[in-house]
mmCIF file of all heavy atoms in Angstrom:
data_model
loop_
_atom_site.group_PDB
_atom_site.id
_atom_site.type_symbol
_atom_site.label_atom_id
_atom_site.label_comp_id
_atom_site.label_asym_id
_atom_site.label_seq_id
_atom_site.Cartn_x
_atom_site.Cartn_y
_atom_site.Cartn_z
ATOM 1 N N LEU B 590 9.094 -16.916 -31.877
ATOM 2 C CA LEU B 590 9.315 -16.051 -30.718
ATOM 3 C C LEU B 590 8.940 -16.732 -29.396
ATOM 4 O O LEU B 590 9.186 -16.185 -28.330
ATOM 5 C CB LEU B 590 8.487 -14.762 -30.863
ATOM 6 C CG LEU B 590 8.909 -13.811 -31.995
ATOM 7 C CD1 LEU B 590 7.830 -12.778 -32.258
ATOM 8 C CD2 LEU B 590 10.228 -13.118 -31.647
ATOM 9 N N GLY B 591 8.329 -17.907 -29.493
ATOM 10 C CA GLY B 591 7.950 -18.628 -28.277
ATOM 11 C C GLY B 591 6.616 -18.166 -27.698
ATOM 12 O O GLY B 591 6.240 -18.544 -26.592
ATOM 13 N N ILE B 592 5.896 -17.336 -28.444
ATOM 14 C CA ILE B 592 4.637 -16.783 -27.938
ATOM 15 C C ILE B 592 3.476 -17.743 -28.184
ATOM 16 O O ILE B 592 2.545 -17.825 -27.393
ATOM 17 C CB ILE B 592 4.379 -15.402 -28.598
ATOM 18 C CG1 ILE B 592 5.462 -14.409 -28.148
ATOM 19 C CG2 ILE B 592 2.978 -14.879 -28.284
ATOM 20 C CD1 ILE B 592 5.492 -13.114 -28.938
ATOM 21 N N VAL B 593 3.546 -18.479 -29.286
ATOM 22 C CA VAL B 593 2.546 -19.530 -29.505
ATOM 23 C C VAL B 593 3.222 -20.878 -29.617
ATOM 24 O O VAL B 593 4.407 -21.000 -29.914
ATOM 25 C CB VAL B 593 1.621 -19.290 -30.739
ATOM 26 C CG1 VAL B 593 1.059 -17.887 -30.768
ATOM 27 C CG2 VAL B 593 2.325 -19.628 -32.031
ATOM 28 N N ASP B 594 2.405 -21.896 -29.379
ATOM 29 C CA ASP B 594 2.861 -23.260 -29.314
ATOM 30 C C ASP B 594 2.240 -23.982 -30.516
ATOM 31 O O ASP B 594 1.036 -23.864 -30.728
ATOM 32 C CB ASP B 594 2.325 -23.766 -27.967
ATOM 33 C CG ASP B 594 2.481 -25.239 -27.781
ATOM 34 O OD1 ASP B 594 3.588 -25.726 -28.012
ATOM 35 O OD2 ASP B 594 1.477 -25.878 -27.397
ATOM 36 N N ARG B 595 3.060 -24.657 -31.317
ATOM 37 C CA ARG B 595 2.554 -25.328 -32.514
ATOM 38 C C ARG B 595 2.515 -26.844 -32.278
ATOM 39 O O ARG B 595 3.424 -27.399 -31.683
ATOM 40 C CB ARG B 595 3.451 -25.024 -33.716
ATOM 41 C CG ARG B 595 2.981 -25.720 -34.982
ATOM 42 C CD ARG B 595 3.758 -25.295 -36.216
ATOM 43 N NE ARG B 595 5.104 -24.830 -35.895
ATOM 44 C CZ ARG B 595 5.792 -23.978 -36.666
ATOM 45 N NH1 ARG B 595 5.263 -23.500 -37.763
ATOM 46 N NH2 ARG B 595 7.015 -23.622 -36.321
ATOM 47 N N ARG B 596 1.465 -27.501 -32.785
ATOM 48 C CA ARG B 596 1.330 -28.950 -32.620
ATOM 49 C C ARG B 596 1.028 -29.567 -33.977
ATOM 50 O O ARG B 596 0.158 -29.090 -34.692
ATOM 51 C CB ARG B 596 0.194 -29.249 -31.645
ATOM 52 C CG ARG B 596 -0.055 -30.735 -31.430
ATOM 53 C CD ARG B 596 -1.154 -30.965 -30.417
ATOM 54 N NE ARG B 596 -2.486 -30.792 -31.011
ATOM 55 C CZ ARG B 596 -3.631 -30.980 -30.347
ATOM 56 N NH1 ARG B 596 -3.600 -31.295 -29.071
ATOM 57 N NH2 ARG B 596 -4.787 -30.817 -30.950
ATOM 58 N N GLY B 597 1.723 -30.634 -34.339
ATOM 59 C CA GLY B 597 1.427 -31.375 -35.566
ATOM 60 C C GLY B 597 1.766 -30.600 -36.812
ATOM 61 O O GLY B 597 2.325 -29.508 -36.770
ATOM 62 N N SER B 598 1.420 -31.190 -37.990
ATOM 63 C CA SER B 598 1.758 -30.509 -39.236
ATOM 64 C C SER B 598 0.693 -30.667 -40.314
ATOM 65 O O SER B 598 0.725 -29.968 -41.317
ATOM 66 C CB SER B 598 3.099 -31.015 -39.767
ATOM 67 O OG SER B 598 3.060 -32.422 -39.881
ATOM 68 N N ARG B 599 -0.247 -31.602 -40.152
ATOM 69 C CA ARG B 599 -1.237 -31.806 -41.230
ATOM 70 C C ARG B 599 -2.647 -31.800 -40.698
ATOM 71 O O ARG B 599 -3.241 -32.871 -40.561
ATOM 72 C CB ARG B 599 -0.941 -33.132 -41.946
ATOM 73 C CG ARG B 599 0.227 -33.065 -42.896
ATOM 74 C CD ARG B 599 0.564 -34.430 -43.416
ATOM 75 N NE ARG B 599 0.873 -35.332 -42.317
ATOM 76 C CZ ARG B 599 1.386 -36.551 -42.482
ATOM 77 N NH1 ARG B 599 1.602 -37.042 -43.657
ATOM 78 N NH2 ARG B 599 1.641 -37.308 -41.441
ATOM 79 N N PRO B 600 -3.257 -30.678 -40.436
ATOM 80 C CA PRO B 600 -2.624 -29.351 -40.450
ATOM 81 C C PRO B 600 -2.047 -29.038 -39.076
ATOM 82 O O PRO B 600 -2.410 -29.677 -38.091
ATOM 83 C CB PRO B 600 -3.824 -28.430 -40.730
ATOM 84 C CG PRO B 600 -4.975 -29.125 -40.062
ATOM 85 C CD PRO B 600 -4.693 -30.602 -40.116
ATOM 86 N N ALA B 601 -1.153 -28.066 -39.023
ATOM 87 C CA ALA B 601 -0.599 -27.641 -37.737
ATOM 88 C C ALA B 601 -1.711 -26.937 -36.944
ATOM 89 O O ALA B 601 -2.612 -26.345 -37.516
ATOM 90 C CB ALA B 601 0.561 -26.680 -37.955
ATOM 91 N N GLU B 602 -1.632 -27.075 -35.619
ATOM 92 C CA GLU B 602 -2.591 -26.385 -34.755
ATOM 93 C C GLU B 602 -1.812 -25.531 -33.751
ATOM 94 O O GLU B 602 -0.701 -25.878 -33.374
ATOM 95 C CB GLU B 602 -3.453 -27.393 -34.016
ATOM 96 C CG GLU B 602 -4.410 -28.135 -34.945
ATOM 97 C CD GLU B 602 -5.326 -29.029 -34.133
ATOM 98 O OE1 GLU B 602 -4.804 -29.839 -33.342
ATOM 99 O OE2 GLU B 602 -6.543 -28.890 -34.285
ATOM 100 N N TYR B 603 -2.446 -24.461 -33.326
ATOM 101 C CA TYR B 603 -1.740 -23.474 -32.505
ATOM 102 C C TYR B 603 -2.568 -23.082 -31.283
ATOM 103 O O TYR B 603 -3.798 -23.045 -31.328
ATOM 104 C CB TYR B 603 -1.479 -22.205 -33.316
ATOM 105 C CG TYR B 603 -0.777 -22.443 -34.620
ATOM 106 C CD1 TYR B 603 -1.504 -22.805 -35.758
ATOM 107 C CD2 TYR B 603 0.611 -22.312 -34.724
ATOM 108 C CE1 TYR B 603 -0.870 -23.032 -36.972
ATOM 109 C CE2 TYR B 603 1.253 -22.544 -35.931
ATOM 110 C CZ TYR B 603 0.512 -22.897 -37.052
ATOM 111 O OH TYR B 603 1.144 -23.123 -38.242
ATOM 112 N N ARG B 604 -1.861 -22.764 -30.212
ATOM 113 C CA ARG B 604 -2.499 -22.108 -29.065
ATOM 114 C C ARG B 604 -1.435 -21.224 -28.418
ATOM 115 O O ARG B 604 -0.251 -21.329 -28.750
ATOM 116 C CB ARG B 604 -3.036 -23.133 -28.064
ATOM 117 C CG ARG B 604 -1.958 -23.897 -27.351
ATOM 118 C CD ARG B 604 -2.534 -24.808 -26.275
ATOM 119 N NE ARG B 604 -1.471 -25.630 -25.720
ATOM 120 C CZ ARG B 604 -1.670 -26.715 -24.985
ATOM 121 N NH1 ARG B 604 -2.904 -27.126 -24.732
ATOM 122 N NH2 ARG B 604 -0.652 -27.389 -24.507
ATOM 123 N N ARG B 605 -1.862 -20.371 -27.495
ATOM 124 C CA ARG B 605 -0.870 -19.507 -26.855
ATOM 125 C C ARG B 605 0.047 -20.365 -25.984
ATOM 126 O O ARG B 605 -0.375 -21.399 -25.458
ATOM 127 C CB ARG B 605 -1.541 -18.405 -26.052
ATOM 128 C CG ARG B 605 -2.120 -18.851 -24.730
ATOM 129 C CD ARG B 605 -2.715 -17.680 -23.960
ATOM 130 N NE ARG B 605 -3.193 -18.138 -22.667
ATOM 131 C CZ ARG B 605 -4.211 -17.601 -22.002
ATOM 132 N NH1 ARG B 605 -4.881 -16.600 -22.503
ATOM 133 N NH2 ARG B 605 -4.576 -18.085 -20.830
ATOM 134 N N ASN B 606 1.296 -19.933 -25.844
ATOM 135 C CA ASN B 606 2.241 -20.645 -24.992
ATOM 136 C C ASN B 606 2.109 -20.086 -23.569
ATOM 137 O O ASN B 606 2.600 -19.006 -23.262
ATOM 138 C CB ASN B 606 3.664 -20.455 -25.538
ATOM 139 C CG ASN B 606 4.687 -21.167 -24.678
ATOM 140 O OD1 ASN B 606 4.345 -21.832 -23.691
ATOM 141 N ND2 ASN B 606 5.952 -21.032 -25.038
ATOM 142 N N GLU B 607 1.416 -20.853 -22.724
ATOM 143 C CA GLU B 607 1.100 -20.395 -21.362
ATOM 144 C C GLU B 607 2.366 -20.011 -20.607
ATOM 145 O O GLU B 607 2.389 -19.019 -19.885
ATOM 146 C CB GLU B 607 0.360 -21.518 -20.627
ATOM 147 C CG GLU B 607 -0.611 -21.048 -19.567
ATOM 148 C CD GLU B 607 -1.743 -20.197 -20.127
ATOM 149 O OE1 GLU B 607 -2.564 -20.694 -20.928
ATOM 150 O OE2 GLU B 607 -1.776 -19.013 -19.758
ATOM 151 N N SER B 608 3.452 -20.804 -20.783
ATOM 152 C CA SER B 608 4.648 -20.509 -19.987
ATOM 153 C C SER B 608 5.296 -19.195 -20.418
ATOM 154 O O SER B 608 5.899 -18.506 -19.600
ATOM 155 C CB SER B 608 5.647 -21.659 -19.993
ATOM 156 O OG SER B 608 5.855 -22.108 -21.290
ATOM 157 N N TYR B 609 5.159 -18.816 -21.686
ATOM 158 C CA TYR B 609 5.656 -17.507 -22.123
ATOM 159 C C TYR B 609 4.929 -16.383 -21.380
ATOM 160 O O TYR B 609 5.545 -15.458 -20.848
ATOM 161 C CB TYR B 609 5.485 -17.319 -23.644
ATOM 162 C CG TYR B 609 5.678 -15.878 -24.085
ATOM 163 C CD1 TYR B 609 6.953 -15.358 -24.291
ATOM 164 C CD2 TYR B 609 4.585 -15.027 -24.239
ATOM 165 C CE1 TYR B 609 7.133 -14.021 -24.651
ATOM 166 C CE2 TYR B 609 4.752 -13.705 -24.605
ATOM 167 C CZ TYR B 609 6.034 -13.202 -24.802
ATOM 168 O OH TYR B 609 6.183 -11.891 -25.154
#
Side-chain angles (χ1 to χ4, degrees):
Chain B
L590 293 166
I592 295 168
V593 312
D594 170 49
R595 179 173 26 205
R596 178 178 79 178
S598 54
R599 283 173 302 190
E602 291 185 306
Y603 306 84
R604 68 175 174 195
R605 76 177 183 210
N606 180 2
E607 210 62 64
S608 48
Y609 166 82

